Amino acid sequence: MARVVVTRPINPRAAELLNRHEVWTWPENRTMPRGLLLERVADADGALVMLTDRVDDEFLDAGKRLTVVSQMAVGVDNIDLDACTRRGIPVGHTPDVLTETTADMAWALLAAAARRIPEGRDYVLGGHWREWDPDLLLGSDLWETTLGIIGMGRIGAAVARRAAGFSMRVVYNSRSPKPEVEEKTGVAYKTLGDLLAESDHVVLTAAYTPETHHLIDHAALARMKPSATLVNIARGPLVDPEALSRALRSGEIGAAALDVTDPEPIPADHELLSLTNCLVIPHLGSASRGTRLAMATRAVENLLAGLAGRQVPWCANPSVYSRDG
Ligand code: GLV
Ligand code: GLV
């Protein structure tokens, strides 16, 4: 029997799988206070964490007994993977199970922003809808336009696949070209500059790393079409929020839809929230009932494997298994 800390209540059907172990779960629906987390992890063999928990040297120093860290998310930018690898600790994450659900959300946001659905809703709720108006809230088409996808991992490829239904041309940029995806989905690799200039709609699915910090800055936004839509379903700091505010206000781009923000959560008085052409939702990319259960289950499976000394099946730092000694 191992000791496990779970930093947030998870679906009981997934939690049940841990019942041979001694589990302590933070019972509240908010991020576990840092001090308590460091205290609780001190005698834990495994930790199941959320993307709001920072797993760094301080955490790992406190968690001297840890043999596995399992995150209930695919993105692991909150985790210092090198620090975990140095200590021989495998890090689990939850790819694949959330890919399609997150790609669905990219399209929901894209359609909502391009076709001005939030503004239409506000118009109706505000009592302004008196008659049909041929010039009311005209948006941008999706069909037969060019979609630019930045980051061509699993989620990027799933976003690309959906574009066929809208007869769109799809271009992409990523760290390295992906010939397999090009073959399967007909997408074409572009430099970032060319992608931004050619795309009617841009979707960000790239991982957040030091290299992608504020990838979409003032210069990037200036390259985009004035009618363009920008969707971010990856991580907030891929976009410079001040530059985005300016671009949306000045008409440098048409609209933005953000599932993630910088900072996150975004303060209610942030300028982006005052712009009618900016739609912001609270990090709901993978938030379907079925997918969150699948993520919790996968996170538990990773944790159980690590506790048993088996290879973590969905491991974010596989090099931990190829180290010397
Ligand atoms: C959510 O943002 C995730 O990385 O799974
Ligand atoms: C990123 O890890 C993805 O699944 O696209």
Side-chain angles (χ1 to χ4, degrees), residues 51 72-75 94 98 234-235 283 286 295:
L51 55 83
M72 199 182 103
V74 65
T94 64
L98 51 68
R235 283 294 182 266
H283 204 147
S286 60
M295 290 165 67

Side-chain angles (χ1 to χ4, degrees), residues 30-302:
R30 64 185 174 98
T31 298
M32 203 173 156
R34 183 72 177 174
L36 182 61
L37 177 59
L38 297 178
E39 215 172 279
R40 282 286 168 173
V41 84
D43 61 356
D45 304 295
L48 196 159
V49 302
M50 304 293 143
L51 55 83
T52 40
D53 301 311
R54 212 164 11 86
V55 176
D56 53 7
D57 278 313
E58 182 187 45
F59 177 98
L60 298 165
D61 286 345
K64 291 243 180 302
R65 297 168 47 100
L66 285 175
T67 57
V68 58
V69 170
S70 175
Q71 162 136 304
M72 199 182 103
V74 65
V76 286
D77 52 290
N78 56 308
I79 298 178
D80 185 341
L81 290 181
D82 289 339
C84 292
T85 305
R86 276 198 305 275
R87 290 167 164 87
I89 299 174
V91 176
H93 69 148
T94 64
D96 308 327
V97 284
L98 51 68
T99 301
E100 302 300 330
T101 296
T102 307
D104 283 352
M105 183 59 97
W107 280 92
L109 287 173
L110 176 54
R115 297 299 302 277
R116 307 180 67 174
I117 288 174
E119 289 167 87
R121 182 170 196 270
D122 288 348
Y123 188 83
V124 173
L125 294 181
H128 305 294
W129 190 17
R130 307 216 191 284
E131 57 179 355
W132 184 77
D133 176 348
D135 292 323
L136 181 63
L137 293 176
L138 304 185
S140 303
D141 278 317
L142 299 183
W143 66 283
E144 288 190 359
T145 60
T146 297
L147 175 65
I149 301 175
I150 298 177
M152 194 43 79
R154 291 162 287 243
I155 296 169
V159 171
R161 246 189 306 108
R162 285 161 172 72
F166 293 84
S167 308
M168 290 166 97
R169 168 179 169 255
V170 184
V171 296
Y172 77 100
N173 177 262
S174 61
R175 250 175 321 179
S176 53
K178 304 276 170 103
E180 353 52 85
V181 184
E182 293 181 22
E183 210 163 287
K184 242 191 249 158
T185 51
V187 298
Y189 181 84
K190 297 280 172 183
T191 63
L192 182 61
D194 285 349
L195 178 146
L196 293 168
E198 288 176 27
S199 297
D200 299 292
H201 309 285
V202 174
V203 175
L204 305 175
T205 72
Y208 178 59
T209 63
E211 292 75 49
T212 58
H213 179 76
H214 288 188
L215 183 70
I216 303 301
D217 58 6
H218 180 68
L221 290 159
R223 294 196 71 110
M224 291 174 68
K225 297 184 182 184
S227 57
T229 316
L230 176 71
V231 174
N232 189 1
I233 51 155
R235 283 294 182 266
L238 290 175
V239 179
D240 175 348
E242 310 313 323
L244 179 61
S245 278
R246 244 182 300 150
L248 287 167
R249 242 186 305 118
S250 66
E252 205 161 49
I253 72 167
L258 311 175
D259 183 40
V260 287
T261 57
D262 176 21
E264 190 170 306
I266 191 169
D269 62 353
H270 195 286
E271 182 180 10
L272 279 172
L273 300 184
S274 69
L275 303 174
T276 53
N277 54 350
C278 187
L279 164 61
V280 180
I281 60 168
H283 204 147
L284 299 175
S286 60
S288 75
R289 284 179 287 274
T291 290
R292 282 290 158 81
L293 172 59
M295 290 165 67
T297 304
R298 183 151 291 191
V300 168
E301 287 166 359
N302 284 333

